[in-house]
Amino acid sequence: KKMGRVFFNTRYNMHKILADYQCLASDSGKVFLCNPTATAALTMPALSDAQEGWHCKVVITEDTDGSVGGMNQILNVDFGSGNDVVGLIVSQSDVAGDYAVNNDDFINFTAAASPGDMVDIFTDGNRWYVHGMAVDATPGTGDVLFHTAAAS
Protein backbone atom coordinates (compact mmCIF):
# COMPACT_ATOMS: atom_id res chain seq x y z
CA LYS A 1 0.00 0.00 0.00
CA LYS A 2 1.10 3.53 -0.68
CA MET A 3 1.23 6.05 2.10
CA GLY A 4 -0.67 9.28 1.53
CA ARG A 5 1.03 12.63 1.63
CA VAL A 6 3.03 13.29 4.74
CA PHE A 7 3.90 16.82 5.77
CA PHE A 8 6.74 17.67 8.11
CA ASN A 9 7.72 20.99 9.63
CA THR A 10 4.41 22.63 8.81
CA ARG A 11 3.66 25.93 10.51
CA TYR A 12 0.56 27.88 11.31
CA ASN A 13 -0.17 30.70 8.89
CA MET A 14 -0.46 33.66 11.29
CA HIS A 15 -1.94 37.10 10.62
CA LYS A 16 -1.81 39.89 13.23
CA ILE A 17 -4.90 42.10 13.34
CA LEU A 18 -4.67 45.63 14.79
CA ALA A 19 -7.61 47.26 12.97
CA ASP A 20 -10.59 46.37 10.75
CA TYR A 21 -9.88 43.51 8.35
CA GLN A 22 -11.96 41.91 5.58
CA CYS A 23 -11.10 38.22 5.36
CA LEU A 24 -10.49 36.82 1.89
CA ALA A 25 -11.10 33.37 0.43
CA SER A 26 -7.30 32.98 0.44
CA ASP A 27 -7.23 33.49 4.25
CA SER A 28 -8.57 29.98 4.83
CA GLY A 29 -6.46 28.17 7.40
CA LYS A 30 -5.10 31.31 9.05
CA VAL A 31 -4.78 31.99 12.74
CA PHE A 32 -5.75 35.62 13.35
CA LEU A 33 -3.96 37.05 16.40
CA CYS A 34 -6.11 40.04 17.30
CA ASN A 35 -4.84 42.95 19.38
CA PRO A 36 -6.91 45.90 18.13
CA THR A 37 -5.72 49.42 18.89
CA ALA A 38 -9.36 50.63 18.80
CA THR A 39 -12.75 48.98 18.27
CA ALA A 40 -12.28 46.76 15.21
CA ALA A 41 -14.18 44.33 12.97
CA LEU A 42 -12.88 41.07 11.56
CA THR A 43 -15.32 40.41 8.71
CA MET A 44 -15.69 36.89 7.36
CA PRO A 45 -15.76 36.47 3.58
CA ALA A 46 -19.10 36.06 1.83
CA LEU A 47 -20.12 32.39 1.96
CA SER A 48 -20.11 32.30 -1.85
CA ASP A 49 -16.43 33.37 -1.80
CA ALA A 50 -15.38 31.25 1.18
CA GLN A 51 -16.93 28.01 -0.07
CA GLU A 52 -17.05 24.65 1.68
CA GLY A 53 -14.09 23.98 3.97
CA TRP A 54 -12.99 27.58 4.58
CA HIS A 55 -11.74 27.89 8.17
CA CYS A 56 -9.79 30.10 10.55
CA LYS A 57 -8.99 30.55 14.22
CA VAL A 58 -9.38 33.89 16.01
CA VAL A 59 -7.29 34.39 19.15
CA ILE A 60 -7.37 37.54 21.27
CA THR A 61 -3.94 38.70 22.43
CA GLU A 62 -2.27 41.61 24.16
CA ASP A 63 1.13 40.54 22.77
CA THR A 64 2.16 39.76 26.36
CA ASP A 65 1.19 37.30 29.05
CA GLY A 66 -1.87 39.43 29.61
CA SER A 67 -4.33 39.38 32.43
CA VAL A 68 -7.90 38.22 32.88
CA GLY A 69 -10.16 40.91 31.45
CA GLY A 70 -7.23 42.90 30.11
CA MET A 71 -7.98 43.45 26.42
CA ASN A 72 -8.97 47.15 26.66
CA GLN A 73 -10.39 47.18 23.10
CA ILE A 74 -13.35 45.55 21.32
CA LEU A 75 -13.17 43.07 18.44
CA ASN A 76 -16.33 42.17 16.53
CA VAL A 77 -16.28 39.08 14.31
CA ASP A 78 -18.83 39.82 11.55
CA PHE A 79 -20.43 36.88 9.70
CA GLY A 80 -22.56 39.06 7.42
CA SER A 81 -26.20 39.98 7.79
CA GLY A 82 -28.65 37.10 7.53
CA ASN A 83 -26.12 34.25 7.46
CA ASP A 84 -26.78 31.23 9.65
CA VAL A 85 -24.29 30.80 12.49
CA VAL A 86 -24.25 27.56 14.47
CA GLY A 87 -22.05 27.10 17.49
CA LEU A 88 -21.09 27.37 21.11
CA ILE A 89 -18.54 29.32 23.14
CA VAL A 90 -17.71 27.50 26.37
CA SER A 91 -16.82 29.45 29.47
CA GLN A 92 -14.04 28.79 31.96
CA SER A 93 -15.96 30.67 34.65
CA ASP A 94 -18.22 27.75 35.62
CA VAL A 95 -21.22 28.76 33.52
CA ALA A 96 -22.85 27.09 30.56
CA GLY A 97 -21.37 29.44 27.96
CA ASP A 98 -23.12 31.04 25.02
CA TYR A 99 -24.63 29.56 21.86
CA ALA A 100 -25.67 31.12 18.58
CA VAL A 101 -29.36 31.72 17.96
CA ASN A 102 -31.36 33.13 15.04
CA ASN A 103 -30.10 36.53 13.81
CA ASP A 104 -26.73 36.32 15.62
CA ASP A 105 -24.45 37.83 12.98
CA PHE A 106 -21.52 38.70 15.29
CA ILE A 107 -19.23 37.46 17.99
CA ASN A 108 -18.36 40.32 20.33
CA PHE A 109 -15.04 40.19 22.18
CA THR A 110 -15.53 43.07 24.62
CA ALA A 111 -12.81 45.30 26.07
CA ALA A 112 -13.04 43.07 29.17
CA ALA A 113 -12.18 39.92 27.18
CA SER A 114 -9.03 38.05 28.14
CA PRO A 115 -5.91 37.28 26.11
CA GLY A 116 -6.26 33.68 24.93
CA ASP A 117 -10.03 33.83 24.42
CA MET A 118 -10.57 32.18 21.04
CA VAL A 119 -12.95 30.76 18.44
CA ASP A 120 -12.51 28.27 15.60
CA ILE A 121 -14.68 29.17 12.60
CA PHE A 122 -15.50 27.07 9.53
CA THR A 123 -18.16 26.75 6.86
CA ASP A 124 -19.85 24.04 4.85
CA GLY A 125 -20.57 26.69 2.20
CA ASN A 126 -24.11 27.29 3.50
CA ARG A 127 -23.61 28.45 7.09
CA TRP A 128 -20.88 29.29 9.58
CA TYR A 129 -19.90 26.98 12.45
CA VAL A 130 -18.13 28.17 15.61
CA HIS A 131 -16.43 26.40 18.51
CA GLY A 132 -14.88 28.67 21.10
CA MET A 133 -13.44 29.04 24.58
CA ALA A 134 -13.38 32.12 26.79
CA VAL A 135 -12.76 33.06 30.39
CA ASP A 136 -16.29 34.52 30.58
CA ALA A 137 -19.02 33.61 28.09
CA THR A 138 -21.89 34.07 30.57
CA PRO A 139 -25.03 34.54 28.46
CA GLY A 140 -26.09 38.20 28.46
CA THR A 141 -23.17 39.56 30.47
CA GLY A 142 -20.02 37.73 29.33
CA ASP A 143 -16.95 39.11 27.61
CA VAL A 144 -17.20 36.86 24.51
CA LEU A 145 -20.71 36.38 23.15
CA PHE A 146 -22.73 35.82 20.01
CA HIS A 147 -24.83 38.89 19.24
CA THR A 148 -27.17 40.46 16.68
CA ALA A 149 -25.05 43.64 16.46
CA ALA A 150 -21.48 44.84 16.75
CA ALA A 151 -20.36 45.97 20.20
CA SER A 152 -19.18 49.58 20.55
Side-chain angles (χ1 to χ4, degrees), residues 11-127:
R11 297 175 182 227
Y12 282 121
N13 185 1
M14 310 291 245
H15 186 142
K16 290 195 175 193
I17 300 295
L18 301 174
D20 292 346
Y21 182 75
Q22 170 64 58
C23 295
L24 308 171
S26 60
D27 286 328
S28 183
K30 281 191 176 173
V31 176
F32 292 102
L33 296 174
C34 301
N35 183 13
T37 57
T39 297
L42 180 64
T43 304
M44 296 295 105
L47 285 169
S48 59
D49 294 335
Q51 299 182 358
E52 179 180 339
W54 191 98
H55 65 284
C56 73
K57 179 178 287 208
V58 178
V59 181
I60 300 302
T61 180
E62 274 288 290
D63 290 335
T64 184
D65 293 340
S67 61
V68 172
M71 279 310 300
N72 299 320
Q73 299 297 336
I74 295 170
L75 177 76
N76 294 298
V77 177
D78 184 351
F79 293 97
S81 180
N83 288 318
D84 285 339
V85 179
V86 176
L88 173 71
I89 301 169
V90 296
S91 182
Q92 175 270 333
S93 59
D94 297 326
V95 295
D98 194 32
Y99 60 93
V101 297
N102 285 342
N103 301 315
D104 279 345
D105 294 329
F106 293 87
I107 297 172
N108 304 144
F109 289 88
T110 70
S114 301
D117 290 349
M118 54 78 57
V119 291
D120 286 310
I121 299 169
F122 62 96
T123 182
D124 63 1
N126 296 309
R127 65 192 41 82

